């Protein structure tokens, strides 16, 4: 397309006979070709980046894959300094990653949807922008700040006031008294999940607010006209219309939560042993890497890289599912 | 049928509506409370340590008094500048390809997909990648490795905003420029870039905001340094890792410095975010 445009501009040069113009045009054409190949190279480098990440992690993880194989996924013991060979298993970190992230979503999804409903249906127009910016600022606070705050402020508060109350409340209920068993702890899986919930809240809010805004006003007005309350409009019109997009947003938030590092490393307690209680310390893949990688070597380091590879595969799958859902929503809108 | 006021069916629906809407107000309050509480903690713990020393003195040895974060602040600025300096042009060019040359090509949709994955990829994975690809071959922790890790995080942010912003530029503008005989590359650089300028700057600002608080990818790429150093081939002091090391230490002086550093970094990042938003919205209103 670009070359055909240039070919046309070439004819007047010959008529004009000006060498100067021909020279300028030639340099322009050279610049054109250069610029296009430059942008193409940059675009392809994005693909290479992903390939590079996967290959580099795989190479780093290979000694651990060779040594442990599938046992790595089913072993709970994490003994990096054992002689002659360390025994390392990923079950604890995998459990912690999945449970903390899912629990975070259980907290963040209803709250995030509630905020989006507030912003799209209830909020006075003047306040709409300031409040959505304030919520989005939660996403701007660096991860390590959440970690410090969780460690020094939230953890002690929960251990003193919230956890004992919950433990007492469920003490006589079967099953729940195991999930919420004491003792209360400053560092726990639950604290990590709560911090994660606060961190993914802005992502879920932003996406669900945007997809709520795609609902045609006519649909809502028709429902209001039929006498529906605001809640009935939201529940019967807005949510069904945007379901795919909301799920996409939730998955995107989940992808974030799975890989969150510093905040979790501060508050989860780095315990590789799986405990049934949510109030007990645990660990996640990213927290384990952050706290142990700098002092690791050999098989221990390789195992940490393998953990990283597992995390990448996990988030890759979740994010892919999220993108496919959001793309399906876009396609529906295009129709 | 009774009037809407007395009919129990209507009253029930109204009550459910009231409850649900009350919960929505509650959810918003819940979200805003965290923001206020976190910022409040930062201000109350970090403000006492704010002084000129913070900007002029180097990080002190353990169990001493005084000192500041000068080396860490300068190190962080350097790492961020180099990271964005490497990442932003690549992202800008890649976004340009996707929006201008290959708008409807298969390659573009594949890249867009991969870019979205990279955009949300855990930053600690980026750290592991750079450790394997740069730190190990170079034989040690270095400022370059840290800057490259940040660049990898910058690229997808800039690609995304660049593509989005260039797609917003109306086509007649490009057609008019082409009709004047301008070659494609000049149409893009002189017309499309200029029309999308505010948006492109917003993208870069967001990228700076995103990387300036990143800790995880720096932990095992630059490490940290107690001393003043501008040598990119060795470890460089930087704010996030310094905060991370200081806050977990029982030394009260270190802890105080960590909170002040946290206050600085958070307000820097939040102001960048707000600046980017203001810039982005002033464009939309035009």
């Amino acid at each position: 397309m670009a070359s055909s445009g240039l070919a046309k501009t070439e004819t007047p040069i010959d008529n004009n006979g000006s060498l100067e113009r021909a020279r300028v045009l030639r340099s322009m054409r050279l610049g054109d070709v250069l610029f296009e190949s430059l942008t193409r190279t940059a675009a392809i480098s994005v693909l290479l980046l992903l390939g590079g990440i996967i290959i580099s992690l795989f190479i780093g993880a290979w000694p651990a894959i060779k040594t442990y194989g599938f046992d790595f996924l089913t072993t709970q013991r994490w003994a990096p300094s054992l002689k002659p060979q360390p025994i390392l298993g990923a079950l604890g970190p995998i459990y912690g990653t999945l449970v903390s992230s899912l629990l975070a979503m259980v907290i963040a999804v209803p709250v995030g949807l509630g905020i989006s409903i507030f912003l799209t249906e209830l909020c006075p127009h003047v306040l709409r922008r300031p409040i959505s910016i304030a919520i989005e600022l939660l996403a701007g606070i660096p991860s390590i700040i959440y970690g410090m705050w969780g460690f020094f402020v939230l953890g002690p508060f929960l251990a003193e006031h919230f956890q004992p109350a919950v433990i007492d409340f469920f003490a006589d209920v079967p099953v729940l008294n195991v999930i919420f068993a004491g003792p209360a702890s400053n560092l726990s899986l639950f604290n990590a999940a709560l911090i994660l919930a606060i961190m993914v809240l802005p992502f879920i809010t932003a996406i669900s607010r945007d997809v709520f805004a795609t609902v045609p006003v006519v649909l809502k007005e028709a429902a209001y006209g039929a006498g529906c309350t605001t809640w009935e409009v939201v529940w019967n019109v807005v949510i069904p219309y945007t379901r795919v997009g909301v799920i996409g947003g939730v998955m995107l938030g989940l992808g974030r939560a799975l890989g969150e590092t510093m905040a979790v490393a501060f508050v989860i307690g780095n315990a590789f042993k799986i405990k049934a209680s949510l109030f007990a310390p645990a660990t996640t893949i990213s927290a384990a890497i952050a706290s142990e990688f700098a002092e690791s070597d050999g098989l221990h380091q390789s195992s940490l890289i393998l953990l990283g590879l597992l995390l990448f595969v996990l988030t890759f799958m979740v994010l892919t599912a999220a993108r496919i859902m959001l793309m399906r929503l876009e396609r529906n809108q295009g129709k | 049928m009774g009037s809407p006021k007395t009919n129990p069916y209507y009253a029930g629906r109204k009550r459910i509506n009231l409850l649900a809407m009350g919960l929505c107000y509650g959810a918003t309050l819940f979200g805003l409370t965290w923001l206020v509480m976190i910022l409040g903690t930062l201000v109350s713990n970090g403000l006492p340590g704010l002084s000129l020393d913070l900007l002029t003195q180097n990080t002190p040895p353990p169990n001493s008094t005084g000192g500041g974060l000068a080396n860490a602040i300068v190190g962080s600025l350097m790492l961020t500048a180099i990271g964005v300096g490497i990442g932003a042009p690549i992202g800008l060019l890649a976004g340009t390809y996707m929006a201008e040359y290959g708008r409807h090509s298969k390659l573009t949709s594949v890249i867009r997909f991969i870019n979205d994955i990279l955009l949300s990829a855990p930053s600690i994975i980026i750290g592991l990648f750079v450790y394997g690809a740069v730190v190990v071959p170079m034989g040690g922790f270095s400022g370059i490795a840290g800057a490259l890790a940040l660049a990898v995080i910058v690229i997808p942010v800039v690609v995304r905003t660049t593509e989005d912003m260039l797609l917003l530029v109306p086509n007649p503008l490009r057609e008019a420029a082409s009709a004047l005989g301008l070659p494609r590359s000049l149409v893009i650089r002189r017309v499309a870039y200029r029309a999308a300028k505010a948006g492109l700057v917003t993208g870069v600002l967001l990228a700076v905001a995103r990387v300036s608080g990143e800790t995880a990818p720096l932990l095992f790429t630059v490490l940290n340094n107690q001393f003043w150093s501008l040598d990119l081939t060795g470890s460089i002091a930087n704010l996030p890792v310094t905060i991370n090391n200081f806050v977990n230490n029982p030394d009260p002086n270190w802890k105080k410095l960590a909170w002040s550093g946290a206050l600085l970094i958070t307000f820097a990042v939040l102001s960048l975010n707000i600046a980017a938003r203001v810039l982005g919205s002033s464009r939309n209103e035009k």
Side-chain angles (χ1 to χ4, degrees), chain A residues 158-170:
Chain A
L158 289 178
E160 203 168 315
H161 301 287
F162 179 77
Q163 293 183 359
V166 176
I167 293 165
D168 284 348
F169 187 80
F170 290 118

Side-chain angles (χ1 to χ4, degrees), chain A residues 161-236:
Chain A
H161 301 287
F162 179 77
Q163 293 183 359
V166 176
I167 293 165
D168 284 348
F169 187 80
F170 290 118
D172 300 324
V173 187
V175 182
L176 286 182
N177 63 1
V178 179
I179 295 178
F180 297 109
S185 160
N186 277 0
L187 306 168
S188 79
L189 193 56
F190 177 81
N191 294 10
L194 185 57
I195 294 267
L196 283 177
I198 304 169
M199 296 180 75
V200 299
L201 192 58
F203 293 97
I204 296 178
T205 306
I207 291 192
S208 47
R209 187 197 58 206
D210 288 352
V211 298
F212 282 177
T214 64
V215 178
V217 184
V218 201
L219 280 186
K220 287 201 276 186
E221 279 170 354
Y224 278 121
C228 287
T229 61
T230 311
W231 171 245
E232 285 161 349
V233 171
V234 169
W235 190 247
N236 298 312

Side-chain angles (χ1 to χ4, degrees), chain A residues 24-97:
Chain A
V24 168
L25 277 175
R26 211 170 320 126
S27 79
M28 273 181 169
R29 188 164 42 181
L30 187 68
D32 228 27
V33 173
L34 272 179
F35 190 69
E36 181 173 356
S37 48
L38 203 62
T39 59
R40 192 194 301 269
T41 314
I44 290 172
S45 73
V46 174
L47 294 184
L48 296 182
L49 206 56
L50 185 82
I53 291 174
I54 294 171
I55 292 170
S56 138
L57 288 181
F58 198 79
I59 292 174
W62 183 244
I65 299 175
K66 221 168 47 187
T67 312
Y68 299 115
F70 268 105
D71 289 348
F72 190 71
L73 295 176
T74 52
T75 309
Q76 209 194 115
R77 188 144 177 228
W78 186 267
S81 45
L82 206 69
K83 299 282 178 236
Q85 193 185 44
I87 297 178
L88 299 164
L91 200 60
I94 292 176
Y95 169 84
T97 304

Side-chain angles (χ1 to χ4, degrees), chain A residues 127-185:
Chain A
L127 287 178
R128 205 168 279 184
R129 232 182 114 69
I131 291 182
S132 39
I133 287 183
I135 296 288
E136 274 166 39
L137 283 187
L138 278 175
I141 297 176
S143 173
I144 188 169
I145 308 296
Y146 280 101
M148 290 165 72
W149 183 74
F151 184 81
F152 288 103
V153 182
L154 186 67
F157 174 82
L158 289 178
E160 203 168 315
H161 301 287
F162 179 77
Q163 293 183 359
V166 176
I167 293 165
D168 284 348
F169 187 80
F170 290 118
D172 300 324
V173 187
V175 182
L176 286 182
N177 63 1
V178 179
I179 295 178
F180 297 109
S185 160

Side-chain angles (χ1 to χ4, degrees), chain A residues 56, chain B residues 125-137 144-146 148-149 152 217 221:
Chain A
S56 138
Chain B
I125 302 283
I126 311 283
L128 285 180
F129 163 59
V130 172
Y131 180 85
V134 183
V135 176
V136 173
I144 300 172
L148 284 175
V152 174
T221 51

Side-chain angles (χ1 to χ4, degrees), chain B residues 143-217:
Chain B
I144 300 172
L148 284 175
L150 296 182
V152 174
I153 298 172
V154 166
I155 291 173
V157 180
V158 177
V159 168
R160 182 66 184 274
T161 43
T162 305
E163 195 204 357
D164 287 351
M165 292 305 151
L166 285 177
L167 286 178
L168 285 179
V169 175
N171 258 335
L173 226 55
R174 295 192 183 88
E175 285 158 8
S178 290
L180 289 174
L182 227 55
R184 191 83 181 272
S185 61
L186 286 185
V187 173
I188 295 168
R189 278 181 294 172
R190 294 282 163 78
V191 179
Y193 277 177
R194 211 161 279 186
K197 198 162 127 202
L200 301 182
V201 175
T202 306
V204 175
L205 279 182
L206 283 177
V208 175
R210 171 88 195 270
V211 295
S212 40
E214 281 289 357
T215 317

